[in-house]
Every structure is written in C-alpha cells, then in structure tokens.
Amino acid sequence: MIIFPEGFLWGAATAAYQIEGAAREDGRVPSIWDTFSHTPGKVRDGHTGDVACDHYHRYAEDVALMRELGLRAYRFSIAWPRFGTPGFGFYDRLLDELLEAGITPVATLYHWDLPQSLQDGGGWLDRDTAYRFAEYAAGAYERLGDRVATWTTLNEPWVSAFVGHGSGRHAPGVGDPAAAFTAAHHLMLAHGLAVQALRAAGAGSVSITLNLAPILGDEEPARLVDGLCNRIFLDPLLRGVYPEDVLAHLRRFTDVKLDDLETIHQPIDVLGVNYYSPKHVRTDPEAPGHPEHPGTEGIAFVDPDGPVTAMGWGINPECLESLLVRLSREYPGTPLLITENGAAFEDTVTGDDRVHDTDRVAFLDAHVRAAHAAIAQGADLRGYFVWSLLDNFEWAHGYHKRFGLVYVDYETQRRIRKDSFHWYRDVIAANGLR
Ligand SMILES: CO[C@H](O)c1c[n+]2c([nH]1)[C@H](O)[C@@H](O)[C@H](O)[C@H]2CO
C-alpha cells in the first residue's frame, strides 16, 4: 500500500476559458482567446470557448461531481475579462458552493485570457500590462480573498510567452522570438507586482504555476533548452537572478529592461508544477530550431519513442519523480504542488453509458506512484491536481482532445463519469494506492 502524507491535497484542475462558456454574458469582455478562436484557421474546426462546458451555469452540478470524488481542493481560474462586470459574481457563487462542499479553492488569476483591450494596448509586450495585472489581483482579492485559500498569479508564463509570442500557435498569435523573451520578462514582473499587491491586501498563501519538463538527450542542447524552458523562470522567481547562460542567450533577441529582479523575486508559499512529459533533444547541424525555443538552430526536438498520449506526448512517470527531486534539491525551501498532471486519450462512450478509459487510469496510477517516490526522496510535495475535472476546450485543438475524469457530451452538456473518475475517488478515499 502506498500512503501519502496526512492532509495531502488531492485535487482536480480547470481554467475559465476552457470550461465556463457564457462568453458574452453579464458584461464579460472579450479576451485574446475570444479573438484568437474566432479567427479562422487558428483553432481546429473553428471551435471556440463561447459555450465550452457551460460551467458558468452548471457549476453546482460540477461541484457535486467534485464532492462525489471527495476532492480536497479544486484549482480553477478567474476570468480577468469578468473582473469589474456583473458576471464577477459567478465566483462568489462558485466559492460558496465549494466551501459548502468542504473543498479548498485554489484560484489562478491568469490562465491565458488577457482582456483584448489590454492586448490592443500592447499586451504582455507592454510593461504597463504588468501593473494592470497587479491592480486586477488586488481587486480580485478584495472581492474573494475571504474564501480563496491559495492564490496562483500565473499559469505557465512559458506558454503565454513562447507559444503565444514565439510560434504564435496560441493567442495572441505573435511569431517573434524577441517578443517571446520580452513577454516572458513582463509576465514575471506581473507576478512579482501581483504578489506584492496580494500580500499588502492580506493574502496568506501565494504561488505561481510553471510548466516544467526534464530535457532528455544530448548534454549541450539539453542544457540550453533546460535554460530556455525551466531555469529562465525558476531562477528569477526563486533565486532573484537570470542564469548567466540564459541572460546571454536572451540578449541576442531583446534589450528589454531586465532590472526588475528584486520585484520578481517575491517569496512564495508554494510552487505549482504542471508536468505532462519530458522533452527530447539532440544535436543536428541541419535542424532549423524551434520557434517556441528561440535560438535553437542546430538542435532537433525529437519525438518520443515508446507510448504516447493522444497529444503525441511521451508517457514518462519517472521524469516526474526526477523533476520533483531536482526541484527540492536545487530550489530548496519551496513546497511543491503538482497543479496539473493528466492525459488525453481517445475516449468513447460505451453502450452501458460508461467510458472505460483504462489508458488514463494507467497514466494517472503511474504518475501518482512517481509522486510518492519523490516524496520518499525528500520532495516536499503538498498535493496533486489531475488535469482535468472535465473534458474541455483544449486551446488550438478545440474540443478534439479529452483530458477529463468526466466525459462531456458537448451536444447535450451531459456529464459522464469515466472509469478514471471512480479510480481517483478511491485513491482519495484511501489517501494512496494499493
Ligand atoms: C506541455 O503541457 C503543458 O504543460 C500544459 C498542458 N496543459 C496546460 N499546460 C494548460 O495549463 C491547460 O490549460 C491545458 O489544457 C493542459 C493540457 O494540454
């Protein structure tokens, strides 16, 4: 029997644009993802978050599913586009429902849905946006701070910066390496300013969530890509410095003012870690480089061999274990939360109205065991959040990729519990695995 520490925070995670819908309801203003998804060719089959899982209206039913799971915590994001509108009252209703169900709310302030009006003013390429974010953070705390247990400033600044501004595969759809590094810096500045604002308002627990991945393969390219993906955020946020190799690299692309490190380096109470899969690289003089990793000419990003998920991502629980152990040794003193781990597989509803997602159960089982192995090696891991509670809008893939413990029939909005839902319910009840 594998038993987790007493009080281990078993959770599930979602994000506003991916599940809420009600895109134009109660005063919600457009975000960059409304603009992006309504731009032909950006999202598969023209899917948008206009309706999504209709969670804005069905939140009580979804919290009942969380209660049935026995979730200790629920990670969701607050839509900045609803801030300052009548629709912001949705979060009062959601929080009251969660607390009534005995579920600890973990709120992300920014999960990629920047108000389009700020994008029109430069977005993350404009330093001013960082200050607007801190004002939003303080205002959200004023409204909801009495009920949110942990505030997460940003979800995955690497994706916002390098997928949104490097390749342009995500909103706002900019394809410019210099813009990517500038956005990355301003996002970290936004984090630091928001932490200061949250602390000043009285916030007890503050965090940030990073997507982190071990970089496997040839040593030299792996070191560079580790710098561009992992250390470019970990070091400023947790050490107050840009790593020298990363600084030299990013200076090839941008002369953005970088002397904000004291602001960026705010003490946080927990580091959120989103882990799905490692990256694999090798030296290849012919390789053109990767637009989401600017300056990687001569480095090939290799497809994983072995089993993959429906996203084509390698299945490698051992890398979760090694990542958590590395973080605890190289960045000691910051407790960790796995804020996302999960997998998309081709789910089908069988005649008995079930979804026998054995692949997902196997994936989650292996990664929960890896998390436990990391704790056994000293990692201060406080919790594990499955991505995701519900099937939902998977960004540029639209609704074609299903990550949920609960299947969503988007035609009827019916929720169907997958086998992984029942498996996870039993893990939480046992606080571990057989
Ligand atoms: C490489 O995976 C990234 O870390 C990552 C994967 N995911 C994420 N980040 C985002 O935080 C979610 O909004 C996605 O829905 C989810 C599934 O794609």
Side-chain angles (χ1 to χ4, degrees), residues 18 111-112 155-156 211 276 313 340 387 394-395 403:
Q18 295 182 268
H111 201 122
W112 306 352
N155 177 73
E156 301 191 344
N211 55 296
Y276 289 84
W313 299 345
E340 288 181 29
W387 183 271
E394 180 49 38
W395 309 113
F403 280 84

Side-chain angles (χ1 to χ4, degrees), residues 9-42:
L9 213 55
W10 296 102
T14 64
Y17 189 74
Q18 295 182 268
I19 67 166
E20 287 181 5
R24 280 176 288 281
E25 204 153 318
D26 298 335
R28 180 183 178 279
V29 299
S31 75
I32 56 175
W33 266 97
D34 294 278
T35 305
F36 195 74
S37 65
H38 282 268
T39 304
K42 299 298 185 186

Side-chain angles (χ1 to χ4, degrees), residues 30 43 123 128 170 178 209 213 226 290 324 351:
V43 176
D128 194 51
H170 277 192
T209 278
D226 177 63
H290 193 301
L324 294 171

Side-chain angles (χ1 to χ4, degrees), residues 220-346:
E220 197 176 315
R223 177 77 182 153
L224 171 60
V225 174
D226 177 63
L228 295 178
C229 294
N230 300 322
R231 292 181 289 115
I232 190 171
F233 293 104
L234 285 167
D235 285 26
L237 292 165
L238 300 180
R239 293 177 176 167
V241 290
Y242 270 105
E244 280 309 314
D245 59 335
V246 170
L247 199 54
H249 190 89
L250 73 81
R251 275 303 180 217
R252 287 171 45 194
F253 297 94
T254 175
D255 56 2
V256 68
K257 196 161 89 77
L258 292 179
D259 52 8
D260 302 297
L261 286 158
E262 200 175 318
T263 305
I264 292 169
H265 183 213
Q266 296 296 317
I268 57 174
D269 301 280
V270 63
L271 174 68
V273 178
N274 288 357
Y275 171 79
Y276 289 84
S277 185
K279 293 181 180 178
H280 301 247
V281 295
R282 62 177 166 76
T283 301
D284 173 359
E286 302 304 308
H290 193 301
E292 292 166 12
H293 308 277
T296 55
E297 294 73 16
I299 296 176
F301 289 76
V302 184
D303 288 340
D305 46 25
V308 295
T309 69
M311 299 290 278
W313 299 345
I315 298 173
N316 192 320
E318 298 74 21
C319 276
L320 172 60
E321 178 187 342
S322 63
L323 171 65
L324 294 171
V325 171
R326 173 196 178 184
L327 291 171
S328 62
R329 290 177 182 164
E330 293 183 17
Y331 302 89
T334 305
L336 304 172
L337 263 186
I338 296 172
T339 35
E340 288 181 29
N341 177 245
F345 291 106
E346 298 305 328

